[in-house]
């Protein structure tokens, strides 16, 4: 039975999973889940917390994008992306945690203004405030500068794709939608461009 991915085209968390599936060449079926809350009863029966995405593999349903990514690596034996060697894996985990806890929230602040996000309505539920987006981009610039200095290039940890890159790709892509200027951060911009230029990322169907 093919994998079934319950996702939505505009979900950055779902895009992570689609990117990995495309990199691994894994056949799967997609079922679209509405972004509006409350989520449909049929989806809550699969995933009671209602987050997007979820993955069905036979009788197993797995939610939370990070868990899904690690499961797919193990399922496909794609250890080049997330090696079992403890020191190598620890470096990837460290980078993922740093990104999720520090850089991702900084980028999200800009997205919220540029794409008109509200807690109840999501993106597009209010007019975008481009002036506020520019102001917030200036406020978070020190965070971006730190990450720019950390990058080994051309990807997060050197020349080879890892799970750290898969996690970061959708939020970095979204800077192209928000118009966030990464010119002051050349390594960060090169990282973004290397990821969004990959055939697998384009095949994953990024929207925003």
């Amino acid at each position: 039975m093919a994998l079934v991915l319950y996702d939505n085209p505009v979900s950055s968390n779902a895009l992570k999973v689609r990117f990995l599936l495309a990199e691994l060449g894994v056949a799967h079926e997609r079922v679209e889940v509405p972004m509006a809350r409350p989520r449909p009863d049929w989806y809550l029966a699969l995933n009671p917390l209602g987050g997007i995405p979820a993955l069905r593999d036979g009788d197993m349903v797995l939610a939370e994008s990070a868990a899904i990514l690690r499961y797919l690596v193990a399922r496909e034996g794609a250890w080049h992306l997330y090696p079992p060697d403890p020191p190598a894996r620890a470096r990837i985990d460290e980078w993922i945690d740093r990104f999720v806890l520090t850089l991702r929230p900084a980028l999200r602040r800009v997205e919220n203004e540029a794409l008109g996000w509200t807690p109840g309505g999501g993106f597009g539920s209010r007019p975008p405030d481009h002036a506020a987006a520019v102001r917030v981009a200036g406020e978070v610039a020190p965070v971006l500068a730190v990450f720019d200095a950390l990058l080994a290039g051309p990807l997060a940890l050197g020349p080879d794709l890892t799970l750290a890159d898969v996690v970061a790709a959708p939020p970095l892509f979204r800077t192209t939608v928000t118009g966030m200027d990464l010119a002051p951060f050349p390594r960060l911009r090169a990282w973004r461009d290397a990821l969004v230029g990959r055939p697998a990322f384009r095949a994953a169907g990024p929207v925003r």
Side-chain angles (χ1 to χ4, degrees):
M1 178 184 295
L3 294 174
V4 180
L5 178 65
Y6 298 88
D7 79 342
N8 186 285
V10 302
S11 165
S12 61
N13 284 327
L15 179 55
K16 295 176 201 174
V17 178
R18 297 199 306 271
F19 179 24
L20 181 58
L21 287 166
E23 280 284 348
L24 299 178
V26 177
H28 61 284
E29 176 187 348
R30 288 176 61 185
V31 176
E32 185 168 328
V33 181
M35 290 297 290
R37 290 184 180 270
R39 300 271 153 77
D41 290 342
W42 63 264
Y43 186 62
L44 294 176
L46 290 170
N47 180 11
L49 293 181
I52 298 173
L55 183 78
R56 181 194 290 278
D57 188 3
D59 294 331
M60 186 192 74
V61 176
L62 184 64
E64 308 305 336
S65 60
I68 293 170
L69 295 179
R70 291 183 174 99
Y71 172 73
L72 289 171
V73 165
R75 182 184 189 270
E76 301 301 314
W79 303 118
H80 59 291
L81 298 175
Y82 192 56
D85 174 63
R89 177 170 289 194
R91 292 185 68 223
I92 295 171
D93 284 335
E94 178 186 51
W95 188 267
I96 291 173
D97 288 348
R98 284 175 167 174
F99 179 86
V100 170
L101 295 173
T102 306
L103 183 55
R104 180 68 188 104
L107 297 175
R108 182 59 187 261
R109 288 185 58 197
V110 178
E111 294 168 15
N112 289 349
E113 302 299 342
L115 301 177
W117 182 86
T118 62
F123 291 118
S125 56
R126 66 171 172 87
D129 189 336
H130 297 295
V134 171
R135 172 180 54 79
V136 171
E139 293 172 359
V140 302
V143 174
L144 274 66
V146 169
F147 273 82
D148 193 68
L150 286 174
L151 282 163
L155 300 175
L157 293 166
D160 299 320
L161 189 79
T162 71
L163 216 55
D165 299 296
V166 175
V167 168
L172 290 172
F173 163 75
R174 196 169 273 172
T175 65
T176 69
V177 180
T178 63
M180 188 174 184
D181 182 15
L182 295 186
F185 317 104
R187 292 182 182 178
L188 202 58
R189 182 176 60 181
W191 184 30
R192 178 198 66 189
D193 293 347
L195 289 172
V196 304
R198 293 180 74 89
F201 189 80
R202 295 196 298 270
V207 176
R208 71 174 184 199

